[in-house]
Amino acid sequence: MKYRLFALLMLAAGLANAEEAKEEWNETSLSNESIEKIQKAQFNYKKCVVDTMQKPDFAKLESRNATDAIIKLCEPTLAEMRQVYVDAQVPGVIADRHLKTMRIKVTRNLLQELMYAEAAKKSGMPQ
């Protein structure tokens, strides 16, 4: 009895994995044109963050508050990047996962830069 139940559970798990495999996306299905558009969108997002970071208004804020404000201001650029993924027929789950990963990395780097600048300013170093 236990073995039959175990076998049924394994069969159900196998069917679930088969269904997931059907929805799996192969990254090589992107055209070179789509890859270039995605790379350009990534560049535009990072450029937005850097350009916004250099505005003097954010130098007055504490680093965490400035990071939050900058990331929120560049959020529309990230939405444009999502549209590039949608246009390239990338599944939403994959696109959202990549955008989230990118947002986290950019946020960490931005916060680190702002913290260094804040520490340098407090120590009296010229900027």
Side-chain angles (χ1 to χ4, degrees), residues 79-96:
E80 292 172 11
M81 186 187 311
R82 188 178 196 290
Q83 188 58 46
V84 172
Y85 279 115
V86 170
D87 292 345
Q89 299 177 345
V90 174
V93 173
I94 305 286
D96 292 339

Side-chain angles (χ1 to χ4, degrees), residues 17-88:
N17 287 338
E19 288 299 315
E20 288 176 12
K22 288 180 187 175
E23 295 179 18
E24 199 171 295
W25 176 69
N26 184 358
E27 67 180 325
T28 58
S29 65
L30 287 176
S31 67
N32 287 339
E33 181 183 341
S34 295
I35 291 171
E36 287 176 15
K37 286 180 182 178
I38 290 169
Q39 289 173 339
K40 184 178 181 199
Q42 289 175 345
F43 174 79
N44 289 340
Y45 176 65
K46 291 176 182 178
K47 184 176 181 335
C48 174
V49 170
V50 170
D51 291 348
T52 307
M53 177 182 81
Q54 293 175 354
K55 292 181 180 176
D57 296 341
F58 294 105
K60 300 172 187 172
L61 296 175
E62 192 268 331
S63 57
R64 286 171 283 187
N65 295 334
T67 300
D68 287 341
I70 293 167
I71 294 298
K72 286 179 184 174
L73 285 172
C74 292
E75 203 61 31
T77 310
L78 206 57
E80 292 172 11
M81 186 187 311
R82 188 178 196 290
Q83 188 58 46
V84 172
Y85 279 115
V86 170
D87 292 345

Side-chain angles (χ1 to χ4, degrees), residues 70-123:
I70 293 167
I71 294 298
K72 286 179 184 174
L73 285 172
C74 292
E75 203 61 31
T77 310
L78 206 57
E80 292 172 11
M81 186 187 311
R82 188 178 196 290
Q83 188 58 46
V84 172
Y85 279 115
V86 170
D87 292 345
Q89 299 177 345
V90 174
V93 173
I94 305 286
D96 292 339
R97 185 181 316 143
H98 181 258
L99 294 174
K100 181 179 178 182
T101 301
M102 189 170 146
R103 184 186 299 116
I104 288 170
K105 287 179 181 178
V106 168
T107 301
R108 285 180 182 160
N109 290 339
L110 174 62
L111 179 60
Q112 185 178 24
E113 289 294 321
L114 292 175
M115 288 174 73
Y116 286 150
E118 188 177 28
K121 187 181 352 176
K122 287 181 181 178
S123 70

Side-chain angles (χ1 to χ4, degrees), residues 3-14:
Y3 297 110
R4 286 185 185 167
L5 180 59
F6 179 73
L8 286 174
L9 289 174
M10 294 304 294
L11 179 63

